[in-house]
Amino acid sequence: MRAGIDHIGVAVVFYCHDGKGNFILSKRSKKSRDEIGTWDPGGGGVEVGEPVLEALAREIKEEYNGDVLDHEFLGIRDVHRTDESGAKTHWIALDYKVLVDRDKIKNMIPEKHDELGWFTLENLPTPTHSQMDDFVKRYKNKLIK
């Protein structure tokens, strides 16, 4: 059974920042599950029995080698979309703004991320993940403070 397709998936989505208005985004590679070539903030599924904040810390460590120095829960999104194969997907996204040490960040999964980059909200790369515009619109006031 596949999360998000055969049953509703639950994911943590993290917008990691350095405390100075810069956010880390990753560019999805050809080996990513979907939305190849787009930039996104990062995220991953919560495993059965795993506390949400442990999933958040695990995913940030796995993707960026980062530690959660501070976090702010931004909200919940009910994400419905269709992937490249035409499959309808459904995820519940638990969104976080997370402070990390910029000097420790590195690409821990180069097979899934072609590159990492630091950006401001005014200087986001393109193209972005299909959910990025909604994410920024919904949380912009919280992301810039």
Side-chain angles (χ1 to χ4, degrees):
M1 299 226 342
R2 297 167 298 167
I5 296 175
D6 298 316
H7 60 86
I8 298 171
V10 177
V12 289
V13 175
F14 38 89
Y15 211 58
C16 294
H17 68 101
D18 64 1
K20 298 176 183 174
N22 302 296
F23 296 88
I24 186 76
L25 299 177
S26 59
K27 186 174 183 185
R28 298 166 75 94
S29 78
K30 291 180 181 178
K31 292 187 179 181
S32 291
R33 178 180 60 232
D34 58 12
E35 302 214 32
I36 294 164
T38 63
W39 290 86
D40 74 8
V46 178
E47 298 173 2
V48 173
E50 182 179 35
V52 170
L53 293 180
E54 287 181 19
L56 180 69
R58 174 183 53 76
E59 287 288 344
I60 292 170
K61 182 62 89 174
E62 286 176 4
E63 290 191 24
Y64 296 146
N65 192 49
D67 296 313
V68 176
L69 302 178
D70 194 14
H71 71 279
E72 176 184 354
F73 178 65
L74 299 171
I76 298 170
R77 286 178 299 125
D78 189 18
V79 180
H80 297 264
R81 62 188 183 101
T82 302
D83 69 14
E84 283 83 357
S85 72
K88 291 186 183 287
T89 67
H90 185 186
W91 287 85
I92 302 299
L94 307 171
D95 298 325
Y96 289 87
K97 177 181 173 184
V98 179
L99 177 65
V100 295
D101 181 345
R102 184 177 176 142
D103 294 334
K104 292 185 179 180
I105 298 300
K106 61 183 176 180
N107 187 355
M108 297 300 290
I109 49 174
E111 66 278 6
K112 291 187 179 179
H113 296 161
D114 282 338
E115 61 183 294
L116 302 181
W118 288 93
F119 304 93
T120 65
L121 284 179
E122 296 78 30
N123 187 31
L124 293 175
T126 57
T128 57
H129 187 280
S130 65
Q131 298 302 305
M132 190 72 173
D133 287 344
D134 179 56
F135 186 92
V136 172
K137 180 180 173 185
R138 184 179 299 241
Y139 303 125
K140 186 170 187 173
N141 290 338
K142 292 181 178 181
L143 296 174
I144 58 175
K145 65 176 184 169

